[in-house]
Amino acid sequence: MTITELDQTYVAGTYSRFPVEIVSGKGSRVTDAAGKTYVDMGSGIGVAAFGIGDDAWKAAVIAQLGMVQHTSNLYYTEPCAVLAKLLCEKTGMKKVFFSNSGAEANECAIKAARKYSAEKKGGDCFTIVTLKNSFHGRTLTTLAATGQDHFHELFQPLTPGFVHVEANNIEALQKAVAEHNVAGILMEPVQGEGGVIPLTSAFVKAAADIAHEKDIPLMIDEVQTGNGRTGMLYGYMHFGIQPDIVSTAKGLSGGLPIGATLLGEKVRSVLGPGDHGSTFGGNPVCCAGAVSILSRLDDAFLAEVREKSAYVFSRLNGAPGVESVTGMGLMIGIKTAAPAGEVVRRCMDKGVLCLTAKDKVRLLPALNIPMEDLQFAVDTIPEAAKELRGNT
Ligand SMILES: *Cc1c(COP(=O)(O)O)cnc(C)c1O
């Protein structure tokens, strides 16, 4: 059997894959089994933050692999402790819980908010307010948090205690907080899977004010927006707020599985021995990769991300076949006249791999993508969109 046939026979059918088998890559280029090379504008859904096989990242990971690959959380290890310190110093948060994915990072955030509120306000205070059109993960609890009904069908009953309010609607948020015994408010700074839609500054600031006033932990889901993706270290930093809990994952370890839940002053000691855990959490190889990534996300680097973002926006805004461009930093959604799926297919033929989100073409390239690769991609996407529009 071919690799495609093996996969289709034996791997659970949860993903509709593109007809491409990727075998290798370097930086922002990947090569398929037929030897064709593509510019990678997806970086494994915003995970390979410094592209494929970044030399410094690889050296850090291999060095740790040569020492010890796993210890469990019964013992101390350097990469875990150093990464936690880096995360806290760069955000002002106080403690970190490590897991292995975005959903788990959110699961921990929700547990921390519920325990804080149960201890302070009683066991009836458990409702978590999230936003419509949000995405927070695939476990039964993070699905319940996700404000998109089509993910919920046939998986009932989900974890109870979640209400969803319209994004950017301050009155709807005030109403939900008045009507429910609210234990936490959870939101993405830019709704990623929902179509790359940034929240308004007024809404994020109002949410932070309401949360502060009512002693409700404010949780920011930075699984996709975190670790430099939006041109700031974390997406919330665009809004001048200080969350109580931040969850992150995707790009943090440059391609290795990791989740992190950052706990601020309010909730710094809410999780005690036995309250939560993860066998793989804080894995030294994953943490060594993350230290390599995070320590390089400094002001100068983030300024380059913002410059590349401005370049993409300026080239795509108003381009033929392009209706709108949304997002922040190198997290970009493009509404094309032709259906996004068709544009992505045509881009693939032309040697550019893109993602979709709802009805948008979505770009999440490596944060250090070379200008020449970025140029090729932003020339190719409108070209593909224009050609398809010509067909209809
Ligand atoms: C991807 C994503 C998740 C889920 O992360 P997994 O690692 O797939 O569990 C949660 N929240 C947001 C905002 C995401 O983009």
Side-chain angles (χ1 to χ4, degrees), residues 259-294:
T261 309
L262 283 53
L263 306 170
E265 186 60 47
K266 189 195 278 285
V267 293
R268 66 183 298 162
S269 41
V270 76
L271 296 177
D275 280 337
H276 201 43
S278 165
T279 300
F280 285 114
N283 172 276
V285 178
C286 300
C287 288
V291 168
S292 167
I293 299 292
L294 199 61

PDB file of all heavy atoms in Angstrom, residues 259-294:
ATOM      1  N   GLY A 259       1.686  22.362  26.537  1.00  0.00           N
ATOM      2  CA  GLY A 259       0.649  23.315  26.908  1.00  0.00           C
ATOM      3  C   GLY A 259       1.129  24.004  28.171  1.00  0.00           C
ATOM      4  O   GLY A 259       1.848  23.399  28.973  1.00  0.00           O
ATOM      5  N   ALA A 260       0.766  25.267  28.343  1.00  0.00           N
ATOM      6  CA  ALA A 260       1.152  25.971  29.566  1.00  0.00           C
ATOM      7  C   ALA A 260      -0.020  26.814  30.035  1.00  0.00           C
ATOM      8  O   ALA A 260      -0.678  27.469  29.224  1.00  0.00           O
ATOM      9  CB  ALA A 260       2.378  26.849  29.319  1.00  0.00           C
ATOM     10  N   THR A 261      -0.288  26.770  31.325  1.00  0.00           N
ATOM     11  CA  THR A 261      -1.316  27.607  31.922  1.00  0.00           C
ATOM     12  C   THR A 261      -0.630  28.520  32.921  1.00  0.00           C
ATOM     13  O   THR A 261      -0.030  28.052  33.893  1.00  0.00           O
ATOM     14  CB  THR A 261      -2.389  26.750  32.620  1.00  0.00           C
ATOM     15  OG1 THR A 261      -2.832  25.754  31.695  1.00  0.00           O
ATOM     16  CG2 THR A 261      -3.568  27.581  33.065  1.00  0.00           C
ATOM     17  N   LEU A 262      -0.685  29.826  32.647  1.00  0.00           N
ATOM     18  CA  LEU A 262       0.006  30.819  33.472  1.00  0.00           C
ATOM     19  C   LEU A 262      -0.995  31.377  34.473  1.00  0.00           C
ATOM     20  O   LEU A 262      -2.088  31.809  34.086  1.00  0.00           O
ATOM     21  CB  LEU A 262       0.556  31.943  32.590  1.00  0.00           C
ATOM     22  CG  LEU A 262       1.839  31.683  31.785  1.00  0.00           C
ATOM     23  CD1 LEU A 262       1.766  30.436  30.935  1.00  0.00           C
ATOM     24  CD2 LEU A 262       2.151  32.879  30.901  1.00  0.00           C
ATOM     25  N   LEU A 263      -0.602  31.374  35.743  1.00  0.00           N
ATOM     26  CA  LEU A 263      -1.490  31.815  36.812  1.00  0.00           C
ATOM     27  C   LEU A 263      -0.988  33.138  37.380  1.00  0.00           C
ATOM     28  O   LEU A 263       0.175  33.237  37.800  1.00  0.00           O
ATOM     29  CB  LEU A 263      -1.554  30.752  37.916  1.00  0.00           C
ATOM     30  CG  LEU A 263      -1.936  29.336  37.442  1.00  0.00           C
ATOM     31  CD1 LEU A 263      -1.732  28.320  38.557  1.00  0.00           C
ATOM     32  CD2 LEU A 263      -3.373  29.294  36.934  1.00  0.00           C
ATOM     33  N   GLY A 264      -1.852  34.148  37.382  1.00  0.00           N
ATOM     34  CA  GLY A 264      -1.493  35.464  37.901  1.00  0.00           C
ATOM     35  C   GLY A 264      -1.654  35.540  39.410  1.00  0.00           C
ATOM     36  O   GLY A 264      -2.023  34.562  40.074  1.00  0.00           O
ATOM     37  N   GLU A 265      -1.388  36.756  39.938  1.00  0.00           N
ATOM     38  CA  GLU A 265      -1.387  36.988  41.383  1.00  0.00           C
ATOM     39  C   GLU A 265      -2.649  36.423  42.067  1.00  0.00           C
ATOM     40  O   GLU A 265      -2.556  35.718  43.078  1.00  0.00           O
ATOM     41  CB  GLU A 265      -1.276  38.502  41.633  1.00  0.00           C
ATOM     42  CG  GLU A 265      -1.126  38.900  43.086  1.00  0.00           C
ATOM     43  CD  GLU A 265       0.124  38.302  43.721  1.00  0.00           C
ATOM     44  OE1 GLU A 265       1.204  38.384  43.097  1.00  0.00           O
ATOM     45  OE2 GLU A 265       0.018  37.743  44.833  1.00  0.00           O
ATOM     46  N   LYS A 266      -3.823  36.716  41.489  1.00  0.00           N
ATOM     47  CA  LYS A 266      -5.100  36.337  42.099  1.00  0.00           C
ATOM     48  C   LYS A 266      -5.198  34.825  42.340  1.00  0.00           C
ATOM     49  O   LYS A 266      -5.737  34.390  43.351  1.00  0.00           O
ATOM     50  CB  LYS A 266      -6.237  36.792  41.171  1.00  0.00           C
ATOM     51  CG  LYS A 266      -7.644  36.664  41.751  1.00  0.00           C
ATOM     52  CD  LYS A 266      -8.714  36.767  40.669  1.00  0.00           C
ATOM     53  CE  LYS A 266      -9.093  38.155  40.255  1.00  0.00           C
ATOM     54  NZ  LYS A 266      -9.935  38.868  41.231  1.00  0.00           N
ATOM     55  N   VAL A 267      -4.684  34.044  41.397  1.00  0.00           N
ATOM     56  CA  VAL A 267      -4.878  32.587  41.464  1.00  0.00           C
ATOM     57  C   VAL A 267      -3.563  31.837  41.661  1.00  0.00           C
ATOM     58  O   VAL A 267      -3.499  30.621  41.484  1.00  0.00           O
ATOM     59  CB  VAL A 267      -5.586  32.063  40.185  1.00  0.00           C
ATOM     60  CG1 VAL A 267      -7.010  32.582  40.101  1.00  0.00           C
ATOM     61  CG2 VAL A 267      -4.807  32.443  38.927  1.00  0.00           C
ATOM     62  N   ARG A 268      -2.512  32.549  42.067  1.00  0.00           N
ATOM     63  CA  ARG A 268      -1.175  31.950  42.078  1.00  0.00           C
ATOM     64  C   ARG A 268      -1.083  30.701  42.946  1.00  0.00           C
ATOM     65  O   ARG A 268      -0.333  29.789  42.645  1.00  0.00           O
ATOM     66  CB  ARG A 268      -0.119  32.976  42.518  1.00  0.00           C
ATOM     67  CG  ARG A 268      -0.251  33.429  43.958  1.00  0.00           C
ATOM     68  CD  ARG A 268       0.776  34.486  44.316  1.00  0.00           C
ATOM     69  NE  ARG A 268       2.142  34.000  44.198  1.00  0.00           N
ATOM     70  CZ  ARG A 268       3.207  34.785  44.109  1.00  0.00           C
ATOM     71  NH1 ARG A 268       3.072  36.099  44.109  1.00  0.00           N
ATOM     72  NH2 ARG A 268       4.402  34.278  44.048  1.00  0.00           N
ATOM     73  N   SER A 269      -1.859  30.659  44.013  1.00  0.00           N
ATOM     74  CA  SER A 269      -1.729  29.482  44.881  1.00  0.00           C
ATOM     75  C   SER A 269      -2.998  28.640  44.927  1.00  0.00           C
ATOM     76  O   SER A 269      -3.182  27.836  45.831  1.00  0.00           O
ATOM     77  CB  SER A 269      -1.295  29.916  46.283  1.00  0.00           C
ATOM     78  OG  SER A 269      -1.980  31.072  46.665  1.00  0.00           O
ATOM     79  N   VAL A 270      -3.854  28.813  43.913  1.00  0.00           N
ATOM     80  CA  VAL A 270      -5.136  28.093  43.945  1.00  0.00           C
ATOM     81  C   VAL A 270      -4.950  26.589  43.702  1.00  0.00           C
ATOM     82  O   VAL A 270      -5.700  25.770  44.225  1.00  0.00           O
ATOM     83  CB  VAL A 270      -6.155  28.731  42.963  1.00  0.00           C
ATOM     84  CG1 VAL A 270      -5.870  28.376  41.507  1.00  0.00           C
ATOM     85  CG2 VAL A 270      -7.580  28.326  43.328  1.00  0.00           C
ATOM     86  N   LEU A 271      -3.944  26.212  42.909  1.00  0.00           N
ATOM     87  CA  LEU A 271      -3.727  24.786  42.660  1.00  0.00           C
ATOM     88  C   LEU A 271      -2.661  24.243  43.612  1.00  0.00           C
ATOM     89  O   LEU A 271      -1.507  24.671  43.576  1.00  0.00           O
ATOM     90  CB  LEU A 271      -3.308  24.556  41.201  1.00  0.00           C
ATOM     91  CG  LEU A 271      -4.364  24.928  40.143  1.00  0.00           C
ATOM     92  CD1 LEU A 271      -3.806  24.739  38.739  1.00  0.00           C
ATOM     93  CD2 LEU A 271      -5.657  24.130  40.317  1.00  0.00           C
ATOM     94  N   GLY A 272      -3.081  23.309  44.456  1.00  0.00           N
ATOM     95  CA  GLY A 272      -2.157  22.696  45.414  1.00  0.00           C
ATOM     96  C   GLY A 272      -1.901  21.246  45.063  1.00  0.00           C
ATOM     97  O   GLY A 272      -2.414  20.744  44.059  1.00  0.00           O
ATOM     98  N   PRO A 273      -1.108  20.560  45.905  1.00  0.00           N
ATOM     99  CA  PRO A 273      -0.777  19.154  45.620  1.00  0.00           C
ATOM    100  C   PRO A 273      -2.037  18.318  45.385  1.00  0.00           C
ATOM    101  O   PRO A 273      -2.980  18.382  46.170  1.00  0.00           O
ATOM    102  CB  PRO A 273      -0.036  18.698  46.879  1.00  0.00           C
ATOM    103  CG  PRO A 273       0.539  19.956  47.439  1.00  0.00           C
ATOM    104  CD  PRO A 273      -0.457  21.041  47.112  1.00  0.00           C
ATOM    105  N   GLY A 274      -2.060  17.579  44.265  1.00  0.00           N
ATOM    106  CA  GLY A 274      -3.179  16.693  43.959  1.00  0.00           C
ATOM    107  C   GLY A 274      -4.324  17.345  43.214  1.00  0.00           C
ATOM    108  O   GLY A 274      -5.223  16.658  42.735  1.00  0.00           O
ATOM    109  N   ASP A 275      -4.319  18.685  43.108  1.00  0.00           N
ATOM    110  CA  ASP A 275      -5.433  19.355  42.423  1.00  0.00           C
ATOM    111  C   ASP A 275      -5.422  19.127  40.923  1.00  0.00           C
ATOM    112  O   ASP A 275      -6.463  19.181  40.266  1.00  0.00           O
ATOM    113  CB  ASP A 275      -5.395  20.868  42.691  1.00  0.00           C
ATOM    114  CG  ASP A 275      -5.984  21.206  44.046  1.00  0.00           C
ATOM    115  OD1 ASP A 275      -6.786  20.405  44.559  1.00  0.00           O
ATOM    116  OD2 ASP A 275      -5.634  22.271  44.588  1.00  0.00           O
ATOM    117  N   HIS A 276      -4.244  18.927  40.361  1.00  0.00           N
ATOM    118  CA  HIS A 276      -4.155  18.751  38.919  1.00  0.00           C
ATOM    119  C   HIS A 276      -2.838  18.055  38.625  1.00  0.00           C
ATOM    120  O   HIS A 276      -1.950  18.009  39.486  1.00  0.00           O
ATOM    121  CB  HIS A 276      -4.227  20.120  38.213  1.00  0.00           C
ATOM    122  CG  HIS A 276      -4.649  20.016  36.783  1.00  0.00           C
ATOM    123  ND1 HIS A 276      -5.670  19.200  36.355  1.00  0.00           N
ATOM    124  CD2 HIS A 276      -4.186  20.629  35.655  1.00  0.00           C
ATOM    125  CE1 HIS A 276      -5.806  19.332  35.029  1.00  0.00           C
ATOM    126  NE2 HIS A 276      -4.915  20.180  34.595  1.00  0.00           N
ATOM    127  N   GLY A 277      -2.700  17.514  37.423  1.00  0.00           N
ATOM    128  CA  GLY A 277      -1.456  16.841  37.091  1.00  0.00           C
ATOM    129  C   GLY A 277      -1.435  16.391  35.654  1.00  0.00           C
ATOM    130  O   GLY A 277      -2.448  16.435  34.958  1.00  0.00           O
ATOM    131  N   SER A 278      -0.251  15.982  35.190  1.00  0.00           N
ATOM    132  CA  SER A 278      -0.081  15.479  33.833  1.00  0.00           C
ATOM    133  C   SER A 278       1.206  14.678  33.784  1.00  0.00           C
ATOM    134  O   SER A 278       2.266  15.193  34.148  1.00  0.00           O
ATOM    135  CB  SER A 278       0.001  16.647  32.845  1.00  0.00           C
ATOM    136  OG  SER A 278       0.497  16.201  31.597  1.00  0.00           O
ATOM    137  N   THR A 279       1.117  13.412  33.367  1.00  0.00           N
ATOM    138  CA  THR A 279       2.309  12.557  33.347  1.00  0.00           C
ATOM    139  C   THR A 279       3.398  13.149  32.452  1.00  0.00           C
ATOM    140  O   THR A 279       4.559  13.235  32.838  1.00  0.00           O
ATOM    141  CB  THR A 279       1.934  11.143  32.855  1.00  0.00           C
ATOM    142  OG1 THR A 279       0.972  10.603  33.748  1.00  0.00           O
ATOM    143  CG2 THR A 279       3.151  10.232  32.814  1.00  0.00           C
ATOM    144  N   PHE A 280       3.004  13.577  31.241  1.00  0.00           N
ATOM    145  CA  PHE A 280       3.993  14.122  30.307  1.00  0.00           C
ATOM    146  C   PHE A 280       4.290  15.598  30.564  1.00  0.00           C
ATOM    147  O   PHE A 280       5.247  16.144  30.009  1.00  0.00           O
ATOM    148  CB  PHE A 280       3.478  14.004  28.868  1.00  0.00           C
ATOM    149  CG  PHE A 280       3.539  12.608  28.287  1.00  0.00           C
ATOM    150  CD1 PHE A 280       2.378  11.920  27.979  1.00  0.00           C
ATOM    151  CD2 PHE A 280       4.760  12.015  28.020  1.00  0.00           C
ATOM    152  CE1 PHE A 280       2.426  10.656  27.408  1.00  0.00           C
ATOM    153  CE2 PHE A 280       4.816  10.751  27.453  1.00  0.00           C
ATOM    154  CZ  PHE A 280       3.651  10.061  27.149  1.00  0.00           C
ATOM    155  N   GLY A 281       3.438  16.286  31.333  1.00  0.00           N
ATOM    156  CA  GLY A 281       3.550  17.734  31.494  1.00  0.00           C
ATOM    157  C   GLY A 281       4.927  18.149  31.982  1.00  0.00           C
ATOM    158  O   GLY A 281       5.469  17.543  32.899  1.00  0.00           O
ATOM    159  N   GLY A 282       5.490  19.192  31.377  1.00  0.00           N
ATOM    160  CA  GLY A 282       6.809  19.667  31.768  1.00  0.00           C
ATOM    161  C   GLY A 282       7.939  18.797  31.252  1.00  0.00           C
ATOM    162  O   GLY A 282       9.078  18.918  31.709  1.00  0.00           O
ATOM    163  N   ASN A 283       7.619  17.950  30.263  1.00  0.00           N
ATOM    164  CA  ASN A 283       8.636  17.072  29.671  1.00  0.00           C
ATOM    165  C   ASN A 283       9.899  17.864  29.321  1.00  0.00           C
ATOM    166  O   ASN A 283       9.830  18.912  28.684  1.00  0.00           O
ATOM    167  CB  ASN A 283       8.045  16.416  28.417  1.00  0.00           C
ATOM    168  CG  ASN A 283       9.090  15.650  27.648  1.00  0.00           C
ATOM    169  OD1 ASN A 283       9.823  16.220  26.850  1.00  0.00           O
ATOM    170  ND2 ASN A 283       9.171  14.366  27.897  1.00  0.00           N
ATOM    171  N   PRO A 284      11.084  17.373  29.737  1.00  0.00           N
ATOM    172  CA  PRO A 284      12.305  18.174  29.572  1.00  0.00           C
ATOM    173  C   PRO A 284      12.674  18.463  28.117  1.00  0.00           C
ATOM    174  O   PRO A 284      13.225  19.531  27.841  1.00  0.00           O
ATOM    175  CB  PRO A 284      13.390  17.336  30.266  1.00  0.00           C
ATOM    176  CG  PRO A 284      12.801  15.986  30.489  1.00  0.00           C
ATOM    177  CD  PRO A 284      11.320  16.147  30.506  1.00  0.00           C
ATOM    178  N   VAL A 285      12.376  17.558  27.200  1.00  0.00           N
ATOM    179  CA  VAL A 285      12.712  17.817  25.785  1.00  0.00           C
ATOM    180  C   VAL A 285      11.808  18.928  25.237  1.00  0.00           C
ATOM    181  O   VAL A 285      12.283  19.870  24.585  1.00  0.00           O
ATOM    182  CB  VAL A 285      12.582  16.528  24.943  1.00  0.00           C
ATOM    183  CG1 VAL A 285      12.876  16.811  23.480  1.00  0.00           C
ATOM    184  CG2 VAL A 285      13.521  15.447  25.471  1.00  0.00           C
ATOM    185  N   CYS A 286      10.512  18.828  25.522  1.00  0.00           N
ATOM    186  CA  CYS A 286       9.565  19.855  25.057  1.00  0.00           C
ATOM    187  C   CYS A 286       9.896  21.207  25.685  1.00  0.00           C
ATOM    188  O   CYS A 286       9.828  22.252  25.029  1.00  0.00           O
ATOM    189  CB  CYS A 286       8.134  19.455  25.394  1.00  0.00           C
ATOM    190  SG  CYS A 286       7.636  17.898  24.624  1.00  0.00           S
ATOM    191  N   CYS A 287      10.249  21.192  26.974  1.00  0.00           N
ATOM    192  CA  CYS A 287      10.575  22.452  27.652  1.00  0.00           C
ATOM    193  C   CYS A 287      11.879  23.043  27.122  1.00  0.00           C
ATOM    194  O   CYS A 287      12.006  24.264  26.992  1.00  0.00           O
ATOM    195  CB  CYS A 287      10.646  22.256  29.170  1.00  0.00           C
ATOM    196  SG  CYS A 287       9.016  22.020  29.915  1.00  0.00           S
ATOM    197  N   ALA A 288      12.860  22.203  26.790  1.00  0.00           N
ATOM    198  CA  ALA A 288      14.118  22.711  26.228  1.00  0.00           C
ATOM    199  C   ALA A 288      13.848  23.382  24.885  1.00  0.00           C
ATOM    200  O   ALA A 288      14.400  24.450  24.580  1.00  0.00           O
ATOM    201  CB  ALA A 288      15.127  21.569  26.072  1.00  0.00           C
ATOM    202  N   GLY A 289      12.966  22.771  24.066  1.00  0.00           N
ATOM    203  CA  GLY A 289      12.581  23.397  22.794  1.00  0.00           C
ATOM    204  C   GLY A 289      11.920  24.745  23.035  1.00  0.00           C
ATOM    205  O   GLY A 289      12.192  25.729  22.345  1.00  0.00           O
ATOM    206  N   ALA A 290      11.052  24.807  24.046  1.00  0.00           N
ATOM    207  CA  ALA A 290      10.321  26.045  24.341  1.00  0.00           C
ATOM    208  C   ALA A 290      11.254  27.144  24.855  1.00  0.00           C
ATOM    209  O   ALA A 290      11.085  28.313  24.521  1.00  0.00           O
ATOM    210  CB  ALA A 290       9.210  25.766  25.349  1.00  0.00           C
ATOM    211  N   VAL A 291      12.243  26.767  25.661  1.00  0.00           N
ATOM    212  CA  VAL A 291      13.207  27.775  26.157  1.00  0.00           C
ATOM    213  C   VAL A 291      13.936  28.386  24.961  1.00  0.00           C
ATOM    214  O   VAL A 291      14.149  29.605  24.888  1.00  0.00           O
ATOM    215  CB  VAL A 291      14.206  27.145  27.159  1.00  0.00           C
ATOM    216  CG1 VAL A 291      15.372  28.091  27.446  1.00  0.00           C
ATOM    217  CG2 VAL A 291      13.487  26.775  28.463  1.00  0.00           C
ATOM    218  N   SER A 292      14.302  27.543  23.984  1.00  0.00           N
ATOM    219  CA  SER A 292      14.994  28.038  22.795  1.00  0.00           C
ATOM    220  C   SER A 292      14.119  29.024  22.021  1.00  0.00           C
ATOM    221  O   SER A 292      14.597  30.064  21.555  1.00  0.00           O
ATOM    222  CB  SER A 292      15.395  26.858  21.898  1.00  0.00           C
ATOM    223  OG  SER A 292      15.794  27.321  20.624  1.00  0.00           O
ATOM    224  N   ILE A 293      12.843  28.726  21.891  1.00  0.00           N
ATOM    225  CA  ILE A 293      11.923  29.611  21.147  1.00  0.00           C
ATOM    226  C   ILE A 293      11.677  30.896  21.944  1.00  0.00           C
ATOM    227  O   ILE A 293      11.904  32.004  21.464  1.00  0.00           O
ATOM    228  CB  ILE A 293      10.567  28.910  20.884  1.00  0.00           C
ATOM    229  CG1 ILE A 293      10.744  27.645  20.027  1.00  0.00           C
ATOM    230  CG2 ILE A 293       9.560  29.878  20.249  1.00  0.00           C
ATOM    231  CD1 ILE A 293      11.168  27.859  18.613  1.00  0.00           C
ATOM    232  N   LEU A 294      11.225  30.727  23.179  1.00  0.00           N
ATOM    233  CA  LEU A 294      10.762  31.878  23.967  1.00  0.00           C
ATOM    234  C   LEU A 294      11.888  32.887  24.219  1.00  0.00           C
ATOM    235  O   LEU A 294      11.670  34.096  24.199  1.00  0.00           O
ATOM    236  CB  LEU A 294      10.185  31.373  25.294  1.00  0.00           C
ATOM    237  CG  LEU A 294       9.274  32.328  26.047  1.00  0.00           C
ATOM    238  CD1 LEU A 294       8.043  32.679  25.227  1.00  0.00           C
ATOM    239  CD2 LEU A 294       8.845  31.706  27.383  1.00  0.00           C
TER     240      LEU A 294
END
